[in-house]
Amino acid sequence: HVEASNLHRPPLYGIADLGRAKAEMAAERLATLNRDVVLDAIATHATRENVDGFVAGYDLVVECTDNFRAKFLINDACFFAGKPLVHGGILRFDGRVTTIVPKQSACYRCIFKTPPPPGLVASCQEAGVIGVLAGIIGTIQATEALKLILGIGHPLTNRFLDFDAKKTLFREIKVK
């Protein structure tokens, strides 16, 4: 649900949206931008029981979750369903994007074997995040999704694109 601590990040939410489900609010707002786009708002947490159903009806998944448990669940569901996955993550002044194509590139679990123990890595709520970072990383994720849909360019497979907002520096990290 939209909380006051969320308002500085995505431009989709405002004060009047506090307490509303983020997914439903985002779908409602985005529908006003283009009525030809079909949006499915899934306003529930990803679990082992439901994540396969979430990815089944889609050609690709853009993952924008804020916790490691969900990131691993979504990665695994996409891997076993053979669905491409565009991963994004942000914290403080740093962001990261990678594109995963099952059986063609390293997946999230190939790189990070297991989620970190609870409390080891601070959340955005605990450590903070510069608001514009969500837009920067989200735009790169959208670009990756378009490249996959259109079959053009060179997706960020087998590499992470890191962004350091303090230095305005992009760095590519190759992975296997």
Side-chain angles (χ1 to χ4, degrees):
H1 290 85
V2 178
E3 299 173 7
S5 65
N6 304 136
L7 296 180
H8 73 291
R9 290 191 300 262
L12 296 172
Y13 313 125
I15 292 172
D17 305 318
L18 291 174
R20 293 189 64 197
K22 288 180 186 178
E24 292 168 4
M25 187 66 243
E28 182 180 303
R29 186 71 45 91
L30 291 171
T32 67
L33 300 176
N34 185 339
R35 65 177 171 237
D36 295 327
V37 174
V38 177
L39 300 160
D40 296 322
I42 303 171
T44 188
H45 293 280
T47 66
R48 286 186 178 148
E49 294 75 31
N50 66 17
V51 71
D52 291 335
F54 289 167
V55 303
Y58 300 96
D59 296 325
L60 69 91
V61 175
V62 179
E63 180 267 313
C64 311
T65 60
D66 63 357
N67 68 80
F68 289 106
R69 191 177 138 279
K71 289 180 183 303
F72 278 85
L73 281 172
I74 294 166
N75 171 79
D76 294 350
C78 287
F79 177 82
F80 289 113
K83 308 281 180 162
L85 170 65
V86 181
H87 156 77
I90 60 174
L91 186 65
R92 296 184 180 113
F93 290 88
D94 300 302
R96 179 177 283 173
V97 178
T98 191
T99 297
I100 299 162
V101 179
K103 299 190 171 71
Q104 293 179 29
S105 69
C107 71
Y108 200 72
R109 195 174 287 277
C110 294
I111 302 158
F112 307 106
K113 301 297 181 207
T114 59
L120 181 65
V121 178
S123 69
C124 288
Q125 291 170 329
E126 296 164 334
V129 64
I130 184 171
V132 297
L133 196 55
I136 293 167
I137 296 304
T139 299
I140 295 169
Q141 286 182 276
T143 303
E144 287 297 293
L146 288 170
K147 290 191 299 188
L148 290 171
I149 291 166
L150 298 171
I152 61 171
H154 301 284
L156 284 168
T157 52
N158 293 318
R159 55 201 172 113
F160 276 105
L161 183 64
D162 270 352
F163 177 62
D164 180 335
K166 283 184 177 178
K167 296 178 184 173
T168 312
L169 178 70
F170 285 96
R171 179 175 65 132
E172 185 179 289
I173 302 168
K174 294 185 189 239
V175 296
K176 292 183 179 183

